Amino acid sequence: MVELVEVGPEDWRVWRELRLRALAEAPYAFKSALAEWQGDGDREQRWRDRLAIPGSYNVVALVDGQPVGMASGFPEDDPDVVWLHSMWVDPARRGKGVGDRLVAAVVAWAARSGARAMMLGVVEGNTSAEALYARHGFSYTGEVNGMMPDGVRRDLAMARPLGA
């Protein structure tokens, strides 16, 4: 059974564990690189600050008490739009509903926040992620959020409306 737990700055250790696992396992899927969060970047205050972004929602998925996934939502420039970020599920738990639960939780938070739309970026060719987001009402906008760190693939924008 999947349990979702909202986390904050005091939970920085579990967020750190998941984020480092995510960046190591799927470097192609994130604009941040593992090296940016290790070494001098691996400081407690940096992790706490990430979880204390004003207006953010950070959630961790647990299975049998073990952290297996993560996702975040937070506002950016437009007050009517919130973004889904840092979505990741352990490969051993993919295809078992963990990703669906995480996305649904962040979408529900976004709707409660009063935003009118939710955006995300998905790396070109990540068909599993594309299918997950499409199941939750996201579709491509035609916009490109930029290039991925490999300089080859693009980060494509997907969006879904919120509210009535």
Side-chain angles (χ1 to χ4, degrees), residues 74-83 110 113-117 162:
F74 51 85
E76 289 190 3
D77 298 332
D78 183 341
D80 288 331
V81 179
V82 293
W83 285 76
S113 78
R116 302 176 88 177
L162 298 168

Side-chain angles (χ1 to χ4, degrees), residues 104-153:
V106 178
V107 167
W109 161 82
R112 289 190 308 271
S113 78
R116 302 176 88 177
M118 179 165 231
M119 301 281 301
L120 62 84
V122 63
V123 66
E124 184 170 44
N126 189 347
T127 57
S128 295
E130 292 168 1
L132 169 66
Y133 300 138
R135 283 195 305 273
H136 290 272
F138 289 89
S139 58
Y140 284 105
T141 67
E143 296 174 37
V144 176
N145 293 328
M147 295 300 291
M148 296 303 289
D150 65 10
V152 176
R153 288 174 291 170

